Amino acid sequence: MGTTDKASTRDRLLDAAAELFYREGVSLGVETLCRSAGVSKRSMYQLFASKDEVLAASLARRLPVYEERLAPGPQEAGTPRERILHVFERLEKVSAEPAYRGCPYLAALVELKDPEHPASAVARGAKEWLLGFFRTRAEEGGARDAELLARQLMLVFDGASARAGAGIETLDGLTTTTVTALLDASGTR
């Protein structure tokens, strides 16, 4: 098997894992994962030591897309306040898509419940990135307590993601209104 075949097998496996874990949850079996990817179990185990490693790698691989999808790019101007609101506008937009099941990183943390799981470390990293994004923008915007505001924004983000992902809430304007009140109360410009 050449390197191209390995890369192709790896890509197929990670693509299938990302889709299946997001749609079905992390408890799906290796056989289901391999069948969906069109990869033998033997091939999977040649590339990864376990299904846990496949899950972690699939989450890590999607992180740049997750970050790009949420945060305004460096070329996009805006005040710190506008940059924070941008994240919630994007959340509202993506949560309206029929296939939306919530934040994949929050879902992994909730489902796994094991802080030592390799995918938990990746998911925590994604959540820490978003917390850091909020904290930095809050500091730049002059928030009275940037750390507190960042934590409050994470609660809104994760709560909204979970409720919309479970299909019990539509976010149309809900998070942006809530976040605007938090930004006003904190003095963020």
Side-chain angles (χ1 to χ4, degrees):
M1 181 183 288
T3 23
T4 309
D5 292 339
K6 269 193 175 172
S8 172
T9 299
R10 186 177 199 280
D11 288 344
R12 286 195 329 265
L13 195 54
L14 292 177
D15 288 345
E19 182 184 325
L20 285 171
F21 289 136
Y22 185 66
R23 193 179 65 227
E24 307 292 329
V26 299
S27 64
L28 71 102
V30 169
E31 200 154 306
T32 302
L33 172 60
C34 290
R35 186 174 44 251
S36 178
V39 170
S40 71
K41 285 198 278 188
R42 181 174 184 257
S43 293
M44 186 197 96
Y45 285 117
Q46 286 175 335
L47 294 167
F48 298 96
S50 66
K51 181 186 88 168
D52 294 348
E53 285 189 14
V54 176
L55 173 59
S58 72
L59 287 172
R61 184 175 185 223
R62 299 283 179 169
L63 195 51
V65 172
Y66 174 80
E67 292 173 359
E68 184 180 295
R69 192 172 198 186
L70 284 179
Q75 73 285 359
E76 296 176 57
T79 65
R81 178 188 189 93
E82 290 167 339
R83 293 174 72 78
I84 289 169
L85 282 167
H86 178 88
V87 171
F88 291 93
E89 290 163 0
R90 292 262 178 108
L91 173 61
E92 288 180 4
K93 183 178 181 187
V94 74
S95 72
E97 295 171 4
Y100 185 73
R101 299 288 178 265
C103 172
Y105 299 98
L106 177 62
L109 287 169
V110 169
E111 283 187 68
L112 292 170
K113 295 175 182 37
D114 176 6
E116 301 303 314
H117 191 288
S120 290
V122 174
R124 264 194 321 279
K127 291 310 194 172
E128 288 166 7
W129 166 81
L130 188 55
L131 178 68
F133 175 86
F134 288 148
R135 184 186 314 107
T136 301
R137 300 298 84 75
E139 288 166 354
E140 293 168 351
R144 283 184 282 285
D145 186 341
E147 181 64 29
L148 175 62
L149 178 59
R151 290 174 57 217
Q152 291 169 323
L153 294 171
M154 286 303 297
L155 283 176
V156 173
F157 185 91
D158 285 345
S161 295
R163 292 182 61 80
I168 56 175
E169 189 74 67
T170 56
L171 301 183
D172 190 28
L174 182 61
T175 63
T176 52
T177 302
T178 304
V179 168
T180 297
L182 286 171
L183 294 170
D184 289 347
S186 72
T188 304
R189 301 175 306 281

